């Protein structure tokens, strides 16, 4: 092969692209958006919640719960931290409303409480027009003292 042909091939090489390299800018934006959507952020609500539960006319019983919020957007943490006092207030009210201790200590009762906590937290985030929401509430400690 002559020197001229080698130089011509070297000049043409950058003009040919493989399918992996031929990614359009729109494709890279979609990939980065998909990667951001797969983020899992656990946001601890500190300190733990301690509140009285049960019927008002009975002996005092207490609930201690450590709560962690699960979000799938990297921007949710800032919204949650900005509104943490209001979010904690909503959970204190929710926990204090619990009067059926048998239900509260069952798995079904804990799931229902968790679902209601998610609903209330997302309602506050929506009311505050944050454009964010949490995906789940995780109880890392849940103790009812009778």
């Amino acid at each position: 092969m002559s020197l001229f042909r080698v130089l011509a091939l070297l000049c043409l090489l950058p003009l040919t692209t493989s399918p992996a390299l031929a990614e359009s800018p729109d494709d890279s934006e979609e990939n980065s958006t998909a990667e951001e959507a797969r983020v899992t952020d656990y946001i601890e609500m500190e300190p733990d919640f301690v509140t009285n539960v049960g019927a008002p006319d009975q002996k005092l019983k207490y609930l201690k719960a450590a709560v962690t919020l699960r979000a799938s957007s990297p921007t949710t943490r800032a919204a949650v931290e900005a509104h943490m006092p209001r979010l904690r207030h909503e959970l204190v009210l929710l926990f204090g409303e619990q009067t059926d201790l048998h239900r509260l200590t069952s798995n079904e009762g804990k799931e229902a409480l968790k679902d209601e906590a998610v609903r209330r937290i997302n309602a506050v985030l929506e009311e505050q027009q944050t454009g964010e929401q949490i995906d789940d509430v995780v109880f890392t400690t849940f103790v009812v003292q009778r």
Side-chain angles (χ1 to χ4, degrees):
M1 217 187 250
S2 71
L3 184 59
F4 177 75
R5 283 187 176 175
V6 171
L7 288 176
L9 285 174
L10 286 175
C11 289
L12 292 175
L13 187 61
L15 298 177
T16 62
T17 59
S18 69
L21 297 176
E23 187 176 285
S24 71
D26 291 338
D27 291 342
S28 65
E29 287 178 20
E30 288 176 16
N31 289 342
S32 66
T33 303
E35 286 179 21
E36 285 180 15
R38 288 185 263 151
V39 169
T40 300
D41 188 10
Y42 291 100
I43 307 162
E44 292 183 38
M45 297 184 82
E46 293 180 337
D48 294 352
F49 292 86
V50 179
T51 187
N52 55 330
V53 293
D57 59 341
Q58 296 177 351
K59 179 183 169 194
L60 287 178
K61 296 163 182 74
Y62 295 95
L63 166 69
K64 177 181 180 182
V67 177
T68 300
L69 309 178
R70 185 175 62 83
S72 58
S73 171
T75 58
T76 303
R77 177 178 289 272
V80 166
E81 289 174 351
H83 299 287
M84 189 65 77
R86 173 76 189 282
L87 299 176
R88 288 187 61 83
H89 170 75
E90 289 296 324
L91 292 186
V92 166
L93 292 179
L94 174 62
F95 295 153
E97 293 169 4
Q98 305 309 304
T99 57
D100 185 352
L101 296 182
H102 294 290
R103 179 164 167 73
L104 185 61
T105 56
S106 71
N107 285 337
E108 295 82 20
K110 290 176 191 169
E111 279 295 315
L113 186 63
K114 176 187 77 81
D115 293 342
E116 181 61 14
V118 169
R119 189 191 69 71
R120 288 193 185 189
I121 288 170
N122 283 333
V124 169
L125 294 174
E126 182 179 336
E127 178 186 307
Q128 298 299 318
Q129 300 177 353
T130 63
E132 301 293 338
Q133 69 177 12
I134 63 160
D135 299 317
D136 200 9
V137 167
V138 179
F139 296 124
T140 55
T141 301
F142 195 89
V143 178
V144 177
Q145 179 188 4
R146 298 177 187 233

